[in-house]
């Protein structure tokens, strides 16, 4: 009797071990390697849920976007990365142009990311949306004087605008979007007027521009929407107070809509697990993942029909530029040249 029990226990143990180690019918456990320019906290819980559902382990390497891109390039065909996760269509396009990604598609991917928020040739897919908005000091600026990005070149804004450097991809993409919609001549003259209105030499990140408006160093700043959200919810009292002193304005509502960009991902050309990488992208585009992924960084879901967080809804709805974000990458080099010519440091 005791012996029989032991045998049954052994058999059960064997079954459990098989279930834990086998995972898939073909034997070897699946793992997918992700190079992520997004912070671990922004994706780790999502990756754990993916593993729990699929049995596919996710190995995460996080780092600076440019550094990860250089690493992918150096590793070439030997790169262990299966999926590259980064922000800004300009960066995803760069990875595509350097032949570091491979085209991948499926009905779930096509349904998850709208056509204008993914690569035309299926090299990468948007996973969240961010808007490049204006923040202003309500006591020094009449909101009625704000309209679109182009009006920021008017002399009325002389020495009143804060923005980060032209080396930043967010600004490069904004200018690329302007090149796509307004053409090179209009963009060049806008840049001249805009740069002439800077209150100071560009410095710091988007949070620093918000702080500068709050501190009275400038009246208007150009920033990504999630920075304001992050500061409003910050544990740091000074950041929270600075954010509470500024007001958000959605530019271009009478025109082509506010400039938006994405965070997104693409399967690497060197991927040894392209199927698992595709599954992970599909998982991240699922409705429940979309809600979580957008909320944790105060971004907007890329998938249609998924509601943004209560904080984002409190900012009111807005019209977003419907430009295909691939254009932001395609016109990046031209944008950088134009900014340089205008003396945008
Ligand atoms: Fe950012």
């Amino acid at each position: 009797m005791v012996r029989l029990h032991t045998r049954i226990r052994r058999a059960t143990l064997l079954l459990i071990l098989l279930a834990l180690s086998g995972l898939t019918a073909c034997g070897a456990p699946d793992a997918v390697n992700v190079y992520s320019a997004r912070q671990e906290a922004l994706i780790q819980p999502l990756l754990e849920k993916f593993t729990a559902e699929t049995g596919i382990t996710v190995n995460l390497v996080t780092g600076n976007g440019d550094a990860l891109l250089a690493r992918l390039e150096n590793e070439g065909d030997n790169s262990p990365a299966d999926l590259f996760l980064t922000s800004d269509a300009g960066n995803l396009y760069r990875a595509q142009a350097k032949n570091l990604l491979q085209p991948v598609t499926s009905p779930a991917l096509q349904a998850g990311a709208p056509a204008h928020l993914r690569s035309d040739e299926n090299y990468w897919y948007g996973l969240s949306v961010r808007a490049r908005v204006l923040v202003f000091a309500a006591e020094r600026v009449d909101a009625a004087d704000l309209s679109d990005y182009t009006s920021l070149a008017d002399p009325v804004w002389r020495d009143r605008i804060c923005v980060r450097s032209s080396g930043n991809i967010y600004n490069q993409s904004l200018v690329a979007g302007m090149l796509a919609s307004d053409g090179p001549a209009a963009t060049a003259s806008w840049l001249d007027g805009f740069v002439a209105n800077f209150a100071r030499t560009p410095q710091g990140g988007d949070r620093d521009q918000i702080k500068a408006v709050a501190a009275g160093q400038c009246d208007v700043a150009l920033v990504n929407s999630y920075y304001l959200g992050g500061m409003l919810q910050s544990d740091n009292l000074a950041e929270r107070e600075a954010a509470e002193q500024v007001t958000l304005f959605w530019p271009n509502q009478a025109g082509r809509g506010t400039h938006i960009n994405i965070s997104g991902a693409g399967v690497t050309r060197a991927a040894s697990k392209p199927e698992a990488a595709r599954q992970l992208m599909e998982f991240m585009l699922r409705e429940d993942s979309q809600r979580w992924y957008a909320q944790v960084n105060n971004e907007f879901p890329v998938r249609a029909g998924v509601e943004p967080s209560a904080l984002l809804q409190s900012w009111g709805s807005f019209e977003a530029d419907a430009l295909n974000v691939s254009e932001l990458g395609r016109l990046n080099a031209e944008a950088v040249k134009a900014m340089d010519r205008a003396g945008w440091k």
Side-chain angles (χ1 to χ4, degrees):
M1 195 64 184
V2 172
R3 232 182 154 158
L4 183 64
H5 268 158
T6 311
R7 263 193 212 147
I8 290 169
R9 242 184 265 133
R10 266 193 204 142
T12 311
L13 191 65
L14 194 66
L15 276 175
I16 291 169
L17 282 175
L18 273 174
L20 283 175
S21 67
L23 300 172
T24 52
C26 50
D30 262 329
V32 63
N33 298 331
V34 179
Y35 280 8
S36 172
R38 309 218 78 189
Q39 292 162 28
E40 198 163 339
L42 293 184
I43 50 172
Q44 192 61 49
L46 214 50
L47 301 182
E48 280 164 15
K49 196 171 168 199
F50 174 73
T51 301
E53 285 186 21
T54 62
I56 299 170
T57 310
V58 182
N59 302 315
L60 189 63
V61 174
T62 53
N64 170 279
D66 292 338
L68 288 175
L69 197 66
R71 182 164 163 182
L72 270 177
E73 212 176 348
N74 290 335
E75 289 169 345
D77 289 341
N78 299 319
S79 176
D82 298 299
L83 191 70
F84 179 49
L85 190 61
T86 191
S87 60
D88 207 289
N91 285 328
L92 289 158
Y93 188 92
R94 214 168 267 173
Q96 174 189 342
K98 286 176 185 281
N99 198 22
L100 300 172
L101 303 177
Q102 61 172 296
V104 166
T105 191
S106 74
L109 291 173
Q110 303 276 326
H116 69 295
L117 301 179
R118 54 176 147 91
S119 148
D120 294 331
E121 298 143 305
N122 304 318
Y123 280 92
W124 41 266
Y125 292 83
L127 297 174
S128 62
V129 171
R130 59 273 301 282
R132 198 132 181 89
V133 300
L134 300 179
V135 294
F136 66 97
E139 68 274 21
R140 299 189 299 279
V141 173
D142 183 351
D145 290 338
L146 295 168
S147 56
D148 48 22
Y149 302 103
T150 53
S151 73
L152 295 176
D154 296 346
V156 67
W157 299 111
R158 190 60 43 95
D159 298 328
R160 298 174 72 189
I161 295 170
C162 276
V163 67
R164 70 200 288 181
S165 81
S166 60
N168 173 257
I169 189 87
Y170 305 152
N171 287 332
Q172 294 170 6
S173 287
L174 177 94
V175 173
M178 205 170 274
L179 282 167
S181 64
D182 302 347
T187 302
S189 76
W190 174 75
L191 278 167
D192 286 340
F194 182 60
V195 172
N197 289 340
F198 288 0
R200 58 179 189 178
T201 305
Q203 55 195 266
D206 281 2
R207 285 173 189 256
D208 297 305
Q209 315 312 318
I210 295 173
K211 288 175 196 166
V213 172
Q217 290 171 302
C218 35
D219 296 338
V220 184
L222 194 53
V223 299
N224 277 0
S225 50
Y226 56 86
Y227 288 110
L228 182 62
M231 286 175 70
L232 286 169
Q233 295 176 336
S234 173
D235 294 332
N236 179 320
L237 181 66
E239 280 212 332
R240 219 162 50 234
E241 283 179 344
E244 281 162 3
Q245 282 175 60
V246 306
T247 309
L248 178 143
F249 182 84
W250 298 110
N252 273 16
Q253 291 307 285
R256 64 188 157 96
T258 299
H259 169 79
I260 58 166
N261 210 310
I262 54 165
S263 82
V267 176
T268 66
R269 192 170 52 84
S272 60
K273 300 278 171 49
E275 282 299 298
R278 175 182 54 77
Q279 268 180 273
L280 180 53
M281 280 199 296
E282 289 173 352
F283 173 84
M284 292 185 80
L285 282 167
R286 222 169 63 181
E287 209 172 304
D288 53 337
S289 307
Q290 277 287 294
R291 197 168 292 114
W292 187 89
Y293 185 65
Q295 283 198 15
V296 73
N297 193 38
N298 291 296
E299 292 180 282
F300 298 90
V302 80
R303 189 183 187 103
V306 179
E307 294 233 311
S309 71
L311 172 68
L312 298 197
Q313 288 189 47
S314 77
W315 291 342
S317 61
F318 70 103
E319 285 302 321
D321 194 337
L323 179 74
N324 188 318
V325 292
S326 287
E327 290 295 289
L328 308 179
R330 198 179 60 79
L331 291 164
N332 177 271
E334 195 180 333
V336 171
K337 260 184 234 149
M339 294 161 96
D340 209 41
R341 239 180 271 128
W344 186 337
K345 299 280 185 235

